[in-house]
């Protein structure tokens, strides 16, 4: 069997969380639950203990100190390496820029896109928007041509449905990119939480 790819939605998420600060598994899982990431990613404790050794072996994550909080069991704190930060940024660039069919990858990239500079994210999303606009236009023209040639709508339904989803995504991309260009839109720094300072709390 071919080796499993290192880049998965879960490994991107773990690197994204560790890029903010060193964390133990409970902290990571709690943070993802608070942000609603567990509604997109199927998160279990076993998921972390599956990906962490792979990231450590790749030199992207390190094991740190073991901490104990009251009567709770000891927990190992993990940190990200310089290579891990660089790999995370590369993965985010790849996922934000495409491919369009990788919905799960694009979604997790949006979760942690603030590991990149805002201006770079805007550029990546603009490129994605341009490609999406061309795809929507070409697909729409092809469907119109097929209908004019007498192809029954029932045989075009799957393509029409896909086109409707792409149009909705295109509308969202344009609106979201416009919002990011607004200086008033909060952009977390690489070491800050996604939440306003008044709502931040340390759960380590």
């Amino acid at each position: 069997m071919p080796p499993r790819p290192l880049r998965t939605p879960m490994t991107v998420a773990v690197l994204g969380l560790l890029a903010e600060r060193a964390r133990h598994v409970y902290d990571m899982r709690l943070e993802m639950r608070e942000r609603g990431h567990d509604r997109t990613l199927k998160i279990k404790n076993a998921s972390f203990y599956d990906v962490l050794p792979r990231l450590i072996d790749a030199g992207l994550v390190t094991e740190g100190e073991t901490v104990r909080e009251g009567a709770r069991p000891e927990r190992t704190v993990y940190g990200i390496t310089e290579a891990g930060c660089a790999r995370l940024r590369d993965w985010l660039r790849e996922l934000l820029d495409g491919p369009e069919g990788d919905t799960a990858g694009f979604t997790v990239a949006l979760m942690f896109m603030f590991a990149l500079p805002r201006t770079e994210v805007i550029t990546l999303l603009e490129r994605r928007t341009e490609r999406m606009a061309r795809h929507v236009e070409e697909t729409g023209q092809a469907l119109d041509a097929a209908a004019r040639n007498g192809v029954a709508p029932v045989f075009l339904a799957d393509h029409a449905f896909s086109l409707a989803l792409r149009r909705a995504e295109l509308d969202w991309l344009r609106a979201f990119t416009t919002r990011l260009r607004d200086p008033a839109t909060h952009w977390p720094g690489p070491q800050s939480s996604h939440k306003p300072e008044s709502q931040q709390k340390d759960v380590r």
Side-chain angles (χ1 to χ4, degrees):
M1 294 179 61
R4 289 186 297 169
L6 184 59
R7 193 192 79 188
T8 67
M10 193 64 190
T11 54
V12 174
V14 168
L15 288 183
L17 289 168
L18 295 181
E20 297 172 15
R21 66 171 186 265
R23 303 174 185 265
H24 48 63
V25 168
Y26 177 76
D27 185 359
M28 286 189 275
R29 185 166 186 180
L30 179 61
E31 188 71 19
M32 295 182 79
R33 187 182 302 122
E34 288 184 349
R35 299 183 188 186
H37 294 172
D38 56 335
R39 292 193 292 270
T40 301
L41 301 174
K42 304 303 180 183
I43 301 170
K44 300 178 181 178
N45 277 343
S47 303
F48 292 99
Y49 294 115
D50 173 59
V51 303
L52 281 167
R54 298 172 62 209
L55 293 171
I56 291 171
D57 289 344
L60 307 182
V61 168
T62 59
E63 286 187 85
E65 63 178 341
T66 300
V67 298
R68 182 190 294 274
E69 300 170 348
R72 294 176 178 175
E74 292 184 339
R75 296 188 174 112
T76 300
V77 176
Y78 298 90
I80 192 170
T81 65
E82 290 187 10
C85 288
R87 185 70 63 87
L88 171 65
R89 290 191 292 268
D90 288 342
W91 283 350
L92 291 174
R93 292 181 184 109
E94 294 168 4
L95 293 169
L96 289 171
D97 198 20
E100 283 72 16
D102 186 6
T103 302
F106 181 60
T107 301
V108 77
L110 290 173
M111 294 174 183
F112 299 100
M113 61 185 172
F114 48 84
L116 297 173
R118 181 204 300 251
T119 53
E120 184 175 6
V121 171
I122 291 172
T123 298
L124 293 170
L125 293 180
E126 286 175 339
R127 288 212 300 253
R128 188 183 187 96
T129 299
E130 290 173 1
R131 290 198 312 274
M132 183 70 69
R134 289 195 298 270
H135 172 78
V136 166
E137 182 178 4
E138 292 168 0
T139 303
Q141 291 174 349
L143 285 174
D144 290 343
R148 288 195 300 271
N149 290 330
V151 179
V154 68
F155 297 121
L156 301 174
D158 54 332
H159 300 291
F161 175 68
S162 177
L163 178 60
L165 294 179
R166 291 290 179 261
R167 281 174 172 158
E169 183 176 348
L170 178 59
D171 289 342
W172 182 87
L173 281 168
R174 286 170 170 161
F176 184 66
T177 305
T178 297
R179 178 176 295 180
L180 288 186
R181 294 192 194 99
D182 183 354
T185 298
H186 174 64
W187 190 260
Q191 297 299 322
S192 67
S193 169
H194 73 296
K195 294 173 284 193
E197 185 176 352
S198 61
Q199 298 179 19
Q200 293 182 23
K201 62 179 180 180
D202 192 342
V203 296
R204 285 177 289 177

